[in-house]
């Protein structure tokens, strides 16, 4: 069982090119599954049955795991049993028949356009290097809708200033080009001209955005930037992902088509992007109920 887990982890990382976080989550789920299987008398992956898989999921449900977590647990189990069969560790793939609860998706937190503008312009009064960096961070997150990990991974060569486009490496090492607007370009100009040289150090390398000590800006620090300015501006608790949600929603509300927004966000499936149409409909409904005398 232990050898199977180690080989499965290598398969996810090397062959399927999954992120470190995905590998960690899937391996954790599989270890839990195999512990359950061993307790039920199984000694090898070949002994996994549909009943064992269902029993494991039932125990996770009874332990209070959310539907989103249960859906991921089931996905990890199906991925493992399919891999085990391909590798000859099992004669059958019981995961093919394993159903999982459909994950309940709450509508994402979305700022109004005026709130987003207040947030991204909050550092405008600061002329120091960190203030210039923070303005670039906020303008790029909202102006492009990219993930915070994608933002922190940007190098100087990933920015095409002539076309106002950034080259982003997203999930699964998939590369895409994302446009950004004039305010973000102006923030970048100030950062590159006056901010970055003041923070640059031997460890800076080609990183576009730098931390206070000159190294590449880390995702945790970027999250603190967003949260700090949101709190200072009296806005609802806001994360970089909330800015991504806001950018997508405002694009759709401004007339962008769903397929274009999918490309900008780097979603593999259009279904992931469709949640923003629900956000727009709910906002429209709310506005109607507040404004129409016979709502």
């Amino acid at each position: 069982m232990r050898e199977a887990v180690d080989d499965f982890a290598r398969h996810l990382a090397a062959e399927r090119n999954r992120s470190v976080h995905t590998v960690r989550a899937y391996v954790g789920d599989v270890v839990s599954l195999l512990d359950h299987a061993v307790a039920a008398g199984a000694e090898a992956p070949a002994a996994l049955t549909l009943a064992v898989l269902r029993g494991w999921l039932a125990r996770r449900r009874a332990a209070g795991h959310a539907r989103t977590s249960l859906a991921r647990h089931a996905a990890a189990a199906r991925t493992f049993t399919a891999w085990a069969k391909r590798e000859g560790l099992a004669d059958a793939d019981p995961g093919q028949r394993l159903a999982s609860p459909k994950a309940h998706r709450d509508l994402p937190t979305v700022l109004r356009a005026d709130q987003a503008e207040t947030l991204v312009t909050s550092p405008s009064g600061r002329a120091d290097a960190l203030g210039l960096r923070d303005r670039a961070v906020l303008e790029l997150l909202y102006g492009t809708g990219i993930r915070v990990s994608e933002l922190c991974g940007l190098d100087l060569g990933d920015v095409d200033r002539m076309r106002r486009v950034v080259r982003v490496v997203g999930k699964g090492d998939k590369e895409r080009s994302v446009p950004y607007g004039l305010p973000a370009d102006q923030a970048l100009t100030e950062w590159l001209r006056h901010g970055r040289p003041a923070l640059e150090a031997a460890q800076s390398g080609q990183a576009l955005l730098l931390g206070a000590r000159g190294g590449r800006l880390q995702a945790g620090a970027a999250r603190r930037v967003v949260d700090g300015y949101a709190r200072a501006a009296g806005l609802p608790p806001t994360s970089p992902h909330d800015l991504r949600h806001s950018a997508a929603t405002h694009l759709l509300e401004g007339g962008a088509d769903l397929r274009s927004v999918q490309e900008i966000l780097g979603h593999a499936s259009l279904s992931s992007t469709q949640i923003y149409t629900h956000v727009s409909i709910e906002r429209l409904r709310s506005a109607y109920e507040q404004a129409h005398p016979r709502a």
Side-chain angles (χ1 to χ4, degrees), residues 16-19 168-176:
R16 299 194 60 172
N17 204 23
R18 294 298 183 92
S19 71
V168 178
V169 179
K171 289 185 176 181
D173 280 346
K174 293 180 180 178
E175 188 176 295
R176 69 187 191 280

Side-chain angles (χ1 to χ4, degrees), residues 36-265:
H36 173 80
V38 168
E43 296 182 354
L48 288 176
T49 63
L50 183 59
V52 169
L53 299 182
R54 285 174 173 168
W56 172 66
L57 269 186
R59 289 189 62 182
R60 308 289 271 188
R61 186 183 297 110
H65 288 235
R67 288 202 296 176
T68 50
S69 297
L70 292 172
R72 194 204 70 209
H73 298 333
R78 285 191 293 267
T79 302
F80 177 75
T81 58
W83 168 83
K85 185 184 180 195
R86 285 196 307 272
E87 293 296 307
L89 300 179
D91 296 328
D93 177 9
Q96 283 185 327
R97 295 184 290 153
L98 179 66
S100 60
K102 190 172 183 180
H104 173 71
R105 299 184 69 181
D106 293 322
L107 292 181
T109 301
V110 173
L111 298 175
R112 298 192 311 267
D114 62 302
Q115 291 176 320
E117 182 178 4
T118 296
L119 176 55
V120 300
T121 57
S122 291
S124 298
R126 293 182 59 182
D128 61 301
L130 290 179
L132 296 176
R133 185 219 47 203
D134 294 349
R135 177 72 187 271
V137 166
L138 292 166
E139 288 283 9
L140 281 173
L141 283 172
Y142 178 58
T144 61
I146 60 178
R147 302 174 179 93
V148 67
S149 59
E150 296 169 342
L151 174 83
C152 294
L154 290 175
D155 287 334
L156 293 169
D158 294 328
V159 183
D160 185 338
R161 301 292 306 282
M162 292 293 293
R163 295 190 300 149
R164 293 212 302 262
V165 167
V166 290
R167 184 175 67 245
V168 178
V169 179
K171 289 185 176 181
D173 280 346
K174 293 180 180 178
E175 188 176 295
R176 69 187 191 280
S177 294
V178 182
Y180 60 88
L182 187 58
D185 188 58
Q186 292 169 340
L188 268 176
T189 297
E190 291 300 306
W191 160 246
L192 292 173
R193 186 176 295 166
H194 304 294
R196 193 180 187 280
L199 293 179
E200 191 171 11
Q203 66 269 31
S204 300
Q206 291 299 303
L208 174 66
L209 298 165
L210 304 178
R213 297 183 179 180
R216 181 181 295 276
L217 180 68
Q218 299 301 303
R223 292 188 183 95
R224 288 191 292 274
V225 167
V226 176
D227 178 66
Y229 283 102
R231 289 175 183 272
L235 297 173
T238 306
S239 69
H241 218 66
D242 293 333
L243 277 179
R244 175 173 163 87
H245 293 321
S246 301
T249 302
H250 297 161
L251 280 168
L252 286 172
E253 291 178 343
D257 64 273
L258 201 61
R259 185 72 178 82
S260 298
V261 176
Q262 178 193 2
E263 287 291 325
I264 290 171
L265 297 180

Side-chain angles (χ1 to χ4, degrees), residues 105-108 267 270-280:
R105 299 184 69 181
D106 293 322
L107 292 181
H267 285 160
L270 194 61
S271 63
S272 299
T273 317
Q274 285 175 331
I275 191 170
Y276 298 109
T277 63
H278 301 310
V279 174
S280 297

